[in-house]
């Protein structure tokens, strides 16, 4: 029996991970963590019988304890609780499906405890990749990508020599505003931005996909996961989301992974790697699909992507500023406090004011996050 822990079990990736668990007889969940959705946690506890559950807020944890007092398990809260879930002794793999930089400490703790990581939480790798990748090597643990593009690249690299990679071709759908100018995006509403053409995901990543910031984060994620330079990563817009990404080798050969858009595939591949398992669901129908089209990305109107390249190339603490400013801005946009184009504006503002720290420690990363928030708060002054 393979045992796993899931950080962010009530979210989009978390619930799809549990669907994969449900469909397979030889995998079980020992620990779960979530923010505040105790209704869904209660359902998950009754169905999957974890031994340990963390709810971020203590008040919600208390309520959950009383709801499931007939079940045998331990319920914890806060960062200490999250770290406990990440290091639960029986789990071999920790699925990191929380959203945002909050994943840094639990991911590192899980690795220290010798766990393999099924990594969905890209913000952690973007901000702390220089700590995570060497630690993985030192501890002999694997970082198994869950993000669909990175899983595709990982699949293309299977059995290949990573040193013979010429380029990573990271595909992007272009999001709901592909083809628009900045001016045409000025009045975009929250509802418009939450409509992704091909994937159903959590709210933050859906906004990130619309601004192309998600692709920017993914470029940096690919840099760390596959040990390539930023210059070797090329974004290819492929609006149908059929090609999940490609690798070009030194001899000019291009390998691609294709499929219908279903996150259960990369999740299951990470959990069973290197084995492939049956997975139900739709298959690609090329006759019905007829064509797959390609475009170059629009760096000018989607400046989030251009700023991500800049942050990734300069490195140090700059990717943290890029990411933290985006997390801050997207939270404000989701709460209808700012307009759509203020998202890239805030990122640019914070990046321009930052004094870079080389190879930041965890404490310096978290300090940079706090400083970025302060910098934005002092400029925009939200009530
Ligand atoms: P969701 O918003 O759907 O889910 C986030 C999860 O994190 C929820 O379970 C939430 O709990 C939990 N959470 C939030 N705050 C805390 C906290 N303080 N402590 C513990 N848990 C917390 O996000 P997604 O599933 O869409 O995304 C998760 C990660 O995966 C992101 O980094 C995203 O970029 C990445 N990803 C997602 C894809 C997708 O298809 N969704 C595709 C590729 C990558 P609660 O519900 O209780 O608030
Ligand atoms: Mg992706």
């Amino acid at each position: 029996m393979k045992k796993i822990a899931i950080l962010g079990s009530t979210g989009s990736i978390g619930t799809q991970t549990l669907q994969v668990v449900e469909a397979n007889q030889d995998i079980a969940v020992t620990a779960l963590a979530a923010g505040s959705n105790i209704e869904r946690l209660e359902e998950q506890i009754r169905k999957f019988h974890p031994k340990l559950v963390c709810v971020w807020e203590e008040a919600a944890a208390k309520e959950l304890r009383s709801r499931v007092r007939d079940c045998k398990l331990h319920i914890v809260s806060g960062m200490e609780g999250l770290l406990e879930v990440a290091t639960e002794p029986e789990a071999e793999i920790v699925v990191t499906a929380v959203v945002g930089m909050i994943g840094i400490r639990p991911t590192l703790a899980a690795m220290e405890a010798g766990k393999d990581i099924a990594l969905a939480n890209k913000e952690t790798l973007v901000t702390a990749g220089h700590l995570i990748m060497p630690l993985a090597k030192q501890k002999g643990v694997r970082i198994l990508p869950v993000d669909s593009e990175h899983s595709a690249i990982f699949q293309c690299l299977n059995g290949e020599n990573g040193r013979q990679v010429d380029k990573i071709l990271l595909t992007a759908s272009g999001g709901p505003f592909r083809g628009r100018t900045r001016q045409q995006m000025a009045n975009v509403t929250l509802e418009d931005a939450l409509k992704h053409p091909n994937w159903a995901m959590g709210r933050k990543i859906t906004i990130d996909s619309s601004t192309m910031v998600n692709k920017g984060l993914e470029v940096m994620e690919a840099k760390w996961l596959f040990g390539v330079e930023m210059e070797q990563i090329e974004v290819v817009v492929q609006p149908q989301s059929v090609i999940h990404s490609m690798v070009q080798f030194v001899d000019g050969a291009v390998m691609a992974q294709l499929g219908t858009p279903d996150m259960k595939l990369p999740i299951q591949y990470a959990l069973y790697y290197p084995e492939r398992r049956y997975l139900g669901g739709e298959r690609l129908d090329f006759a019905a699909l007829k064509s797959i089209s390609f475009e170059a990305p629009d760096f000018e109107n989607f400046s989030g992507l251009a700023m991500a390249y800049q942050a990734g190339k300069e490195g140090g603490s700059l990717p943290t500023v890029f990411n933290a400013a985006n997390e801050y801005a997207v939270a404000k946009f989701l709460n209808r406090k700012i307009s759509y184009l203020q998202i890239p504006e805030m990122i640019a503002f914070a990046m321009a004011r930052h004094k870079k720290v080389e190879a930041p420690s965890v404490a310096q990363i978290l300090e940079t996050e706090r400083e970025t928030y302060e910098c934005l708060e002092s400029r925009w002054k939200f009530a």
Side-chain angles (χ1 to χ4, degrees):
M1 188 67 83
K2 190 187 279 276
K3 293 182 177 166
I4 67 167
I6 307 173
L7 311 179
S9 68
T10 55
S12 165
I13 295 290
T15 51
Q16 292 181 87
T17 303
L18 287 169
Q19 286 169 18
V20 170
V21 170
E22 205 178 352
N24 287 279
Q25 268 60 58
D26 57 352
I27 186 163
V29 162
T30 64
L32 300 175
S36 59
N37 189 346
I38 55 172
E39 284 78 22
R40 194 166 278 174
L41 270 177
E42 180 179 350
E43 285 167 27
Q44 294 179 346
I45 290 167
R46 296 196 184 279
K47 196 162 186 179
F48 296 98
H49 313 292
K51 289 183 172 165
L52 178 68
V53 167
C54 175
V55 189
W56 183 250
E57 289 154 31
E58 174 51 31
K62 202 168 164 195
E63 194 187 329
L64 184 64
R65 276 184 208 110
S66 106
R67 282 187 188 218
V68 297
R69 55 183 174 270
D70 56 312
C71 304
K72 216 177 134 229
L73 83 159
H74 194 49
I75 298 177
V76 292
S77 66
M79 181 50 82
E80 244 164 69
L82 199 52
L83 295 173
E84 230 181 287
V85 167
T87 56
E88 196 285 320
E90 282 185 29
E92 293 166 45
I93 304 182
V94 175
V95 180
T96 62
V98 289
V99 57
M101 290 173 63
I102 187 143
I104 296 176
R105 290 186 58 201
T107 304
L108 288 167
M111 293 168 70
E112 290 280 359
K115 321 274 187 206
D116 287 335
I117 305 293
L119 186 136
N121 177 223
K122 63 190 84 180
E123 296 91 344
T124 282
L125 203 56
V126 165
T127 55
H130 60 289
L131 303 174
I132 287 176
M133 299 317 290
L135 185 63
K137 209 167 179 186
Q138 186 197 328
K139 293 284 170 187
V141 301
R142 297 184 294 192
I143 309 291
L144 303 153
V146 168
D147 209 346
S148 59
E149 294 79 359
H150 304 75
S151 174
I153 295 160
F154 189 56
Q155 292 175 55
C156 292
L157 288 173
N158 214 350
E160 296 285 349
N161 180 343
R163 282 192 298 276
Q164 291 163 352
V165 170
D166 178 27
K167 251 186 192 181
I168 301 273
L169 300 161
L170 194 71
T171 53
S173 72
F177 308 131
R178 181 175 57 86
R180 291 202 200 180
T181 62
R182 273 175 77 81
Q183 211 178 9
Q184 289 168 329
M185 288 186 276
N187 297 319
V188 155
T189 65
L190 177 57
E191 288 68 25
D192 298 331
L194 283 174
K195 275 184 217 131
H196 193 279
N198 307 324
W199 297 94
M201 309 178 285
R203 285 157 67 87
K204 192 252 174 189
I205 186 176
T206 304
I207 301 299
D208 288 352
S209 301
S210 77
T211 56
M212 295 290 281
V213 163
N214 180 53
K215 209 47 59 181
L217 294 170
E218 289 185 354
V219 172
M220 292 188 262
E221 184 184 9
K223 170 186 128 156
W224 290 118
L225 281 172
F226 307 113
V228 293
E229 298 300 324
M230 291 293 289
E231 291 78 3
Q232 286 175 283
I233 308 167
E234 184 179 326
V235 173
V236 177
V237 177
Q238 193 274 281
Q240 299 81 10
S241 299
V242 168
I243 301 179
H244 297 316
S245 275
M246 306 178 268
V247 177
Q248 181 174 303
F249 293 91
V250 286
D251 58 357
V254 176
M255 303 277 278
Q257 188 254 330
L258 285 71
T260 52
D262 180 355
M263 286 306 297
K264 291 197 290 302
L265 192 157
I267 293 168
Q268 181 170 287
Y269 191 76
L271 293 178
Y272 284 104
Y273 175 79
E275 194 191 335
R276 269 192 200 276
R277 286 272 172 113
Y278 173 77
L279 178 66
E282 261 187 79
R283 301 301 188 241
L284 276 182
D285 177 349
F286 286 93
L289 183 68
K290 290 200 181 74
S291 71
I292 305 178
S293 57
F294 302 95
E295 288 169 23
D298 178 353
F299 288 99
E300 218 172 287
N301 290 298
F302 293 84
S303 58
L305 183 57
M307 290 188 282
Y309 266 96
Q310 185 201 336
K313 280 180 191 166
E314 290 189 29
S317 53
L318 207 60
T320 295
V321 177
F322 173 86
N323 179 71
N326 180 61
E327 285 191 26
Y328 181 92
V330 171
K332 294 290 180 205
F333 181 69
L334 286 170
N335 286 326
R336 301 180 195 277
K337 300 276 189 217
I338 62 167
S339 69
Y340 187 66
L341 290 181
Q342 279 181 300
I343 299 172
E345 196 189 323
M346 284 181 158
I347 300 172
F349 184 87
M351 278 176 67
R353 272 148 197 84
H354 181 64
K355 282 206 180 55
K356 192 173 84 176
V357 180
E358 291 296 348
S361 63
V362 173
Q364 287 172 316
I365 293 169
L366 299 177
E367 176 63 16
T368 301
E369 178 190 35
R370 204 179 53 75
E371 280 171 12
T372 303
Y373 289 177
E374 278 174 12
C375 163
L376 294 172
E377 264 154 29
S378 68
R379 161 69 180 79
W380 272 272
K381 295 188 179 64
F382 293 101

